[in-house]
Amino acid sequence: MSDPSGAPILEATGLRSGYHGITVIKGIDLEVRNEVFAVLGANGAGKTTLLATLARLIPSMSGVLRFLGEDVTHTPAFETAARGIGYVPQEKGVFTDLTVAENLTIGGMIGDRAVDERMSEVFELFPDLAVLRNQVAGTLSGGESRMVACGRALMQDPTLLLLDEPTAGLSPLYVDMFFEKITEIHRTRGVGIILAEQNATKALQVADRVMVLSLGEAFLVEEAGNLTTEQLKEGYRI
Ligand SMILES: Nc1ncnc2c1ncn2[C@@H]1O[C@H](COP(=O)(O)OP(=O)(O)OP(=O)(O)O)[C@@H](O)[C@H]1O
Ligand SMILES: [Mg+2]
């Protein structure tokens, strides 16, 4: 369950990052607790860059990042993954030459619980994947691939799951199903979620709090229920 008053899982202070010396994320302060935290913003606002920086896949230029109270500003991504930061990238996220079950097994290389047990839990959440378990991931549909990528991250028993536009390009039925799953992952498994989204309407239905990112800066952080259409429009300006 959401515990907005609880201790922060992830804290960023003055986080800056970018590419080839060009700053994209321009000094973000962030405190994410055991909640669904949506990061909204227009194309190019920096959502993917922010999530990749939080997952330690892009080095920060300055600032401090703390996970579960420990400084992970310079911790390698494989170690933050092992400590409990799961990451599902905007694109790809599956090994196309491997089967669904093999993809999930790779996620299960992190953590102590039996892989079979964890895989059954993923199949419980995404029953379609049980049927597709022996199919090569490269032959899956877009929606099925998203489920595998998400399932693989869940196999790591994350404390915090970073989801980068998990429903982009999917049909409405899949979009609805995926948002229900996001709520289920948070409510029944107690996983904190940072969700980068273009689809503000959908994100606001599942989020506890929201950050509107504008040109790499936090335009606002607000309870999802308090966000006004005017604020959203203003934050989406380029
Ligand atoms: N690998 C890269 N090298 C150089 N610049 C990049 C790279 N990736 C992203 N950028 C730039 O960083 C800025 C932010 O991009 P980012 O992908 O983080 O935005 P986004 O909010 O995720 O957009 P979208 O909604 O389209 O996914 C953009 O100006 C983009 O051109
Ligand atoms: Mg993106």
Side-chain angles (χ1 to χ4, degrees):
M1 293 297 282
S2 299
D3 182 12
S5 62
I9 298 177
L10 190 74
E11 295 164 89
T13 316
L15 202 64
R16 284 175 66 248
S17 68
Y19 309 93
H20 321 297
I22 296 167
T23 309
V24 172
I25 295 301
K26 300 168 185 156
I28 293 278
D29 295 328
L30 187 76
E31 237 188 52
V32 178
R33 309 179 190 109
N34 189 3
E35 61 185 322
V36 178
F37 187 94
V39 178
L40 304 180
N43 289 122
K47 303 179 295 296
T48 293
T49 307
L50 176 61
L51 260 62
T53 309
L54 298 176
R56 293 283 310 118
L57 292 163
I58 296 178
S60 41
M61 293 165 165
S62 62
V64 176
L65 186 64
R66 296 177 77 81
F67 178 61
L68 299 174
E70 290 183 12
D71 191 330
V72 294
T73 315
H74 303 291
T75 305
F78 68 84
E79 201 183 317
T80 55
R83 289 201 206 176
I85 300 182
Y87 173 68
V88 181
Q90 184 166 357
E91 273 151 20
K92 308 207 171 68
V94 296
F95 296 102
T96 51
D97 294 341
L98 303 181
T99 65
V100 168
E102 286 165 347
N103 267 278
L104 296 177
T105 302
I106 286 175
M109 288 164 76
I110 286 174
D112 301 326
R113 283 199 307 134
V115 168
D116 286 356
E117 187 186 342
R118 286 188 263 168
M119 205 180 294
S120 314
E121 289 170 7
V122 169
F123 289 155
E124 232 172 77
L125 187 71
F126 297 116
D128 290 2
L129 293 188
V131 180
L132 299 166
R133 62 190 300 156
N134 295 320
Q135 190 164 328
V136 173
T139 64
L140 297 173
S141 75
E144 291 161 354
S145 297
R146 302 319 298 152
M147 288 192 270
V148 174
C150 191
R152 191 160 62 80
L154 283 172
M155 288 290 291
Q156 301 172 8
D157 273 342
T159 304
L160 179 69
L161 190 58
L162 311 179
L163 294 172
D164 194 350
E165 298 207 44
T167 65
L170 303 188
S171 63
L173 214 64
Y174 255 111
V175 172
D176 288 347
M177 181 276 284
F178 224 103
F179 275 97
E180 277 168 28
K181 298 299 177 189
I182 290 168
T183 306
E184 193 179 335
I185 291 165
H186 173 59
R187 293 230 176 108
T188 67
R189 295 167 195 234
V191 178
I193 292 176
I194 302 182
L195 170 69
E197 258 303 330
Q198 194 65 245
N199 187 338
T201 311
K202 278 282 165 198
L204 289 169
Q205 285 170 7
V206 300
D208 295 297
R209 290 193 304 146
V210 51
M211 167 184 281
V212 179
L213 201 60
S214 184
L215 299 173
E217 291 181 275
F219 173 70
L220 61 80
V221 178
E222 184 57 276
E223 299 286 322
N226 294 342
L227 190 71
T228 65
T229 314
E230 286 68 32
Q231 284 176 318
L232 204 52
K233 276 188 190 157
E234 176 79 358
Y236 269 70
R237 84 198 183 289
I238 302 263

